[in-house]
DNA sequence: CTGAAAGCGCTAACAG
DNA sequence: CTGTTAGCGCTTTCAG
């Protein structure tokens, strides 16, 4: 029943018959080719419209396979970080006339795997943020270029856009120290012991401030995670006067938690995030952050995948880096 | 030069030759068909892998055209409202196994037109938020189903998912009145004189409070727009004690502007937004809002377009509505 | 269980 | 300017 109305596709052939010409002529009319008589062309166009004809994407793609579709994989589009990355990727893709099919893996490894299972047959190139091991990635994407975002590939099979926040984090810590802070903690993201923590620890050492191990706590990479990480930290070490958060989302959670503790930011507690999201300007106080150009992150990934797909010389790893810099606003 | 490496596509034929079987046997092996010998199948699979074979989307689509791709058009993915709508749409589409190609028209009518120009030949159905007249929409999407979000179609050519905030706005105004507010303003969005303003005015009338014409100002539908709309309002009518904003984004701008004016929210000025974005819980004070289920908005649009595309009976306009309800948080 | 033939809808050659 | 002939890569008959 459901397909009783099945409207057999109107093909170029139907149009040709209706207009009393050959299929070829129809094709010419539709594609604005030069070699065709004006009135014939009009007749064909009219017939096409009358029949509700629409060329088949597939038939066309078969013959003229220049249609590269990029798959963009994000863990959670609602996370403003990925929204910004996606926005940058979308814009870069549009500039190149590429379609982008978006996959949201909902922060779920199983969902990510499920996506990998099908994506290889749905797009011609993949750009995105993955958490699974490279073996899994390769299985699903065998044969097509893949550009990882915010993750360094272990093998040359993949390209990766790296985030180098070392200098930015150093600026952040130096700034805190210059403001007199000596007991600086960090709210790390889970899974723990991230590179960002290393940057932080190294920066602290360089600035000559000691970081007590207990001053680093970790939490889920969410607003609530940031809040509870700060709560844990403050419960054990109420004398900490500044914190650097794994990312802005967690930092915002920390801002909120600080308020609950009756702490004023930055007077009682200075907070610096990481990412530099636009979101940071909406909270009060506005969030200081080690900022990266998130949109450039997405755009760079698309740029690289484009080169890979067209066979142009790919950007060397050295250029596949987005650097961070401290953006001072109000929270520190 | 750039295509000197042009790696002629590996086809099913190459695999067949390499495995010493016919093309159809390859096809069977690849598609897990029953009628095939185990060892033959393995041999084919090995050959395919060895050659780096990937089936052509197009050839496959031509033969088995069940691959509906949905185009999702948003004015600005960075606007959290549309992020949430997109997220809902993406999830609904995934549940149905549909690909979603995302188009961001960057709040630009020209870009929207450019998108309409090409979208018809790139996807099989369209869901999204458009500002152009229906004629323009139809031109680009002739022959494929289109579901408009947050906009009532004038003709049956289109489906539309309506937002009915009347009752929610009434709750909001009633709440303000119950808290003693009598001079309630509105920050309308541009283009002005929106339905939301009508809801507001009607609700005020029903609650027995008069709204001085000067108490309604308008601004761009952005954070800054909300801020300046409030500034304008307060400059002329500093005695207003509460405002209802066109949407949450503007309301957040108002929150920030109120702070600059030295007004405490909600003590000196109560603020209620519209949309109920998750974002509203991140600001201080948390934003009270006439909330709609934004993700359902996107999901409903996908549901309808799915019905349209499969020929199932479409949802009647009465069911294509998302209603709003007041979510009280801290700002009012 | 496997192969041969046919055709999906379209466009790029070549004729006329 | 227009029609005819091929063939894109794949899957579905239908024979063997």
């Amino acid at each position: 029943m459901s397909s009783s109305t099945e409207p057999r596709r109107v093909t170029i052939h139907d149009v040709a018959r209706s207009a009393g010409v050959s299929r070829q002529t129809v094709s010419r009319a539709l594609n604005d080719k030069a070699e065709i008589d004006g009135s014939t062309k009009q007749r064909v166009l009219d017939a096409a419209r009358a029949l509700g004809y629409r060329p088949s994407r597939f038939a066309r793609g078969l013959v003229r396979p220049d249609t590269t579709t990029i798959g963009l994989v994000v863990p959670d589009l609602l996370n403003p970080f990925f929204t910004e990355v996606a926005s940058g990727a979308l814009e870069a893709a549009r500039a190149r006339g590429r379609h982008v099919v978006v996959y949201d893996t909902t922060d779920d490894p199983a969902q990510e795997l499920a996506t990998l299972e099908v994506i290889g047959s749905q797009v011609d190139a993949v750009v995105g943020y993955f958490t699974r091991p490279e073996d899994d990635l390769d299985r699903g994407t065998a044969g097509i270029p893949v550009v990882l975002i915010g993750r360094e590939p272990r093998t040359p099979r993949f390209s990766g856009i790296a985030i180098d926040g070392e200098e930015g984090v150093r600026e952040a810590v130096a700034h805190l120290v210059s403001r007199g802070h000596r007991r600086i903690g960090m709210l790390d993201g889970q899974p723990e012991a991230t590179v960002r923590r290393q940057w932080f620890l190294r920066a602290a050492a360089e600035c000559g401030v000691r970081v007590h191990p207990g001053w680093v706590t970790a939490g889920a990479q969410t607003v609530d995670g940031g809040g509870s990480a700060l709560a844990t930290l403050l419960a054990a070490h109420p004398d900490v006067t500044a914190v650097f958060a794994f990312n802005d989302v967690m930092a915002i959670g920390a801002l909120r938690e600080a308020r609950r503790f009756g702490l004023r930011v930055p007077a009682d507690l200075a907070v610096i995030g990481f990412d530099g999201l636009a979101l940071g300007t909406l909270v009060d106080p506005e969030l200081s952050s080690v900022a990266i150009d998130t949109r450039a992150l997405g755009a760079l990934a698309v740029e690289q995948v484009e080169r890979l797909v067209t066979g142009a010389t790919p950007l060397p790893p050295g250029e596949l880096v987005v650097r961070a810099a401290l953006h001072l606003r109000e929270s520190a």
Side-chain angles (χ1 to χ4, degrees), chain A:
Chain A
M1 266 307 290
S2 81
S3 57
S4 66
T5 341
E6 189 71 34
R8 196 186 59 72
R9 182 172 244 298
V10 179
T11 78
I12 199 173
H13 188 217
D14 302 314
V15 178
R17 203 151 32 90
S18 161
V21 297
S22 74
R23 303 203 300 281
Q24 199 37 235
T25 301
V26 175
S27 176
R28 284 196 272 260
L30 261 33
N31 296 303
D32 269 329
K33 295 289 182 187
E35 325 105 328
I36 187 174
D37 180 86
S39 70
T40 312
K41 179 170 174 178
Q42 195 50 56
R43 187 153 40 93
V44 171
L45 260 26
D46 289 345
R49 188 184 322 274
L51 293 171
Y53 168 75
R54 292 185 352 101
S56 152
R57 263 206 322 288
F58 298 116
R60 195 167 263 179
L62 235 203
V63 176
R64 193 158 170 35
D66 61 335
T67 319
T68 302
T69 295
I70 298 173
L72 171 66
V73 180
V74 294
D76 178 15
L77 195 63
L78 292 177
N79 179 324
F81 173 75
F82 294 111
T83 310
E84 294 189 7
V85 173
S87 168
L90 244 35
E91 181 180 3
R94 185 174 54 72
R96 292 172 175 72
R98 303 296 183 201
H99 307 182
V100 176
V101 176
V102 179
Y103 300 83
D104 185 329
T105 56
T106 67
D107 268 325
D108 174 6
Q111 184 59 50
E112 184 180 328
L113 200 55
T115 298
L116 282 166
E117 219 105 88
V118 298
I119 200 170
S121 64
Q122 301 183 159
V123 302
D124 311 300
V126 172
V127 150
Y129 189 94
F130 295 90
T131 58
R132 306 209 56 116
E134 296 193 0
D135 279 355
D136 287 348
L137 303 191
D138 187 44
R139 205 146 20 235
T141 59
I144 65 179
V146 177
V147 177
L148 274 21
I149 298 179
R151 166 171 166 180
E152 309 262 5
R154 300 187 168 287
T155 65
R157 159 71 182 91
F158 303 104
S159 274
I161 311 295
I163 296 173
D164 180 359
E166 180 142 35
E167 178 53 29
V169 172
R170 189 178 305 136
E171 290 177 49
V173 173
H175 170 76
L176 291 173
V177 170
S178 79
R179 291 304 180 95
H181 294 281
R182 289 298 176 273
R183 293 183 300 284
I184 306 173
M186 172 170 179
L187 312 178
D188 199 9
Q190 279 159 345
E192 284 190 58
T194 60
V195 215
R196 295 184 196 178
R197 183 194 293 205
Q198 291 178 34
W199 293 335
F200 169 70
L201 261 16
R202 208 173 303 158
E206 288 178 22
C207 292
V209 300
R210 296 202 40 176
V211 177
H212 181 102
W215 296 350
V216 179
T217 57
Q221 296 181 21
T222 61
V223 173
D224 290 341
S228 36
L230 180 65
T232 305
L233 174 58
L234 257 25
H237 303 276
D239 54 346
V240 162
T241 64
V243 291
F244 166 62
F246 177 80
N247 65 21
D248 283 355
V249 168
M250 290 183 71
I252 286 173
L255 248 34
R256 186 209 264 164
E257 190 68 19
R259 205 150 56 221
R260 290 196 187 134
F261 267 73
L263 297 178
R264 298 183 323 147
V265 176
D268 303 325
L269 182 75
V271 176
I272 296 184
F274 191 102
D275 281 346
L277 303 182
L279 179 61
T281 64
L282 300 185
V283 294
D284 176 38
E286 292 189 17
L287 186 65
S288 293
S289 183
V290 177
I292 54 179
D293 188 340
T294 47
R295 305 192 73 231
L297 199 59
L300 197 52
V302 166
E303 157 88 37
Q304 175 74 340
V305 91
E306 172 78 13
R307 286 167 178 249
L308 258 17
V309 108
T310 58
T313 58
L315 261 11
E319 294 187 32
L320 297 175
V321 179
V322 174
R323 292 202 163 64
L326 180 63
H327 280 201
L328 241 27
R329 295 201 276 241
E330 302 172 344
S331 69

